[in-house]
Amino acid sequence: MQEENILKMAELADTEIKDVPTLNILICYLLYKIKRPVETEQLYEIAIGTGIVNYFYYQDSIDYLIKNTLISASEDDGKMFYILEAKGIECARQLKSYAPKSYRDKLVLAALRYFARIKAEHEMKIEYLPVENGYYARVCCLDKDCDLMDLKLYAPDLTQAKLIGEKIMLNPAGFYGKIVDLALSNEELPYDLSDN
């Protein structure tokens, strides 16, 4: 019995959402969990990028949500945003259990990762510089007024340099923190004087 439930959950996790009402709930729930207006392109990338949302169903859902004032579209500084309205908040709170938890989890996780990546790209810049025998992965940790760190790491080829860059971008703040911790805790190696 438990194996059947696991198989059903695995099948559900790999399938697209086939009905607009479920997608309506999911989009409201996603905006509710994010707790801020989201650019129209960002919401599209998050939803479609999960692989569980079909483009046509997504468009139908957005049209329905706007028409029925669950969300609204607003422009600010030349960018379009979706804002969750009071009806959308109630939809997210009261109807979330009608959308499978696996879908809710997948969408919210995709959004969290998406916004973390955007934040990381503003804080950390990586360039790949060719040198005679390979590449440097140049890592700059940026602040408003100055560069906190400017570091070049050598790799024998572009593929390995990009791998270094990708690993750093998984947790740029952690990488910077480890570099600073290492610098502050670094000590001179002790000399072995036991033979004197």
Side-chain angles (χ1 to χ4, degrees):
M1 185 70 170
Q2 189 176 15
E3 289 178 18
E4 289 176 18
N5 289 340
I6 291 171
L7 287 174
K8 285 180 184 176
M9 287 177 65
E11 289 173 11
L12 182 64
D14 292 333
T15 60
E16 284 186 350
I17 299 166
K18 300 288 186 192
D19 65 298
V20 174
T22 299
L23 190 51
N24 293 342
I25 295 167
L26 285 168
I27 290 174
C28 287
Y29 183 76
L30 176 61
L31 291 170
Y32 176 72
K33 293 301 279 186
I34 292 173
K35 298 180 182 174
R36 64 177 175 185
V38 177
E39 288 182 36
T40 56
E41 291 178 19
Q42 292 175 335
L43 185 62
Y44 172 82
E45 287 179 29
I46 292 165
I48 300 298
T50 61
I52 60 172
V53 177
N54 174 290
Y55 168 81
F56 298 106
Y57 290 115
Y58 175 81
Q59 289 302 112
D60 289 346
S61 179
I62 293 295
D63 291 344
Y64 176 88
L65 293 170
I66 290 173
K67 181 180 176 186
N68 291 286
T69 64
L70 282 90
I71 67 173
S72 62
S74 177
E75 186 177 348
D76 185 26
D77 200 24
K79 295 181 181 179
M80 291 297 294
F81 290 86
Y82 289 130
I83 300 167
L84 187 63
E85 299 295 340
K87 285 170 64 175
I89 292 170
E90 285 306 306
C91 172
R93 286 182 182 160
Q94 294 180 9
L95 301 178
K96 77 175 186 180
S97 62
Y98 289 98
K101 183 173 179 352
S102 61
Y103 288 151
R104 294 193 318 259
D105 290 348
K106 196 165 190 174
L107 278 174
V108 171
L109 182 59
L112 294 173
R113 285 183 175 153
Y114 182 87
F115 291 116
R117 184 178 42 117
I118 287 174
K119 183 176 185 261
E121 288 171 357
H122 289 320
E123 295 173 350
M124 192 77 75
K125 184 174 93 174
I126 298 187
E127 297 177 292
Y128 303 103
L129 309 171
V131 291
E132 188 175 324
N133 297 327
Y135 280 82
Y136 282 129
R138 181 175 179 223
V139 183
C140 295
C141 186
L142 309 170
D143 195 16
K144 290 180 183 176
D145 300 327
C146 64
D147 292 347
L148 299 175
M149 176 179 69
D150 192 347
L151 175 70
K152 288 192 281 188
L153 301 168
Y154 174 78
D157 58 44
L158 182 59
T159 301
Q160 292 183 37
K162 286 186 175 183
L163 179 62
I164 290 169
E166 289 168 8
K167 290 294 185 178
I168 290 169
M169 292 306 287
L170 288 175
N171 184 3
F175 176 78
Y176 174 74
K178 286 178 183 177
I179 295 292
V180 171
D181 285 346
L182 181 63
L184 294 175
S185 65
N186 196 31
E187 296 178 357
E188 183 179 11
L189 289 174
Y191 292 101
D192 182 11
L193 299 176
S194 60
D195 211 18
N196 275 343

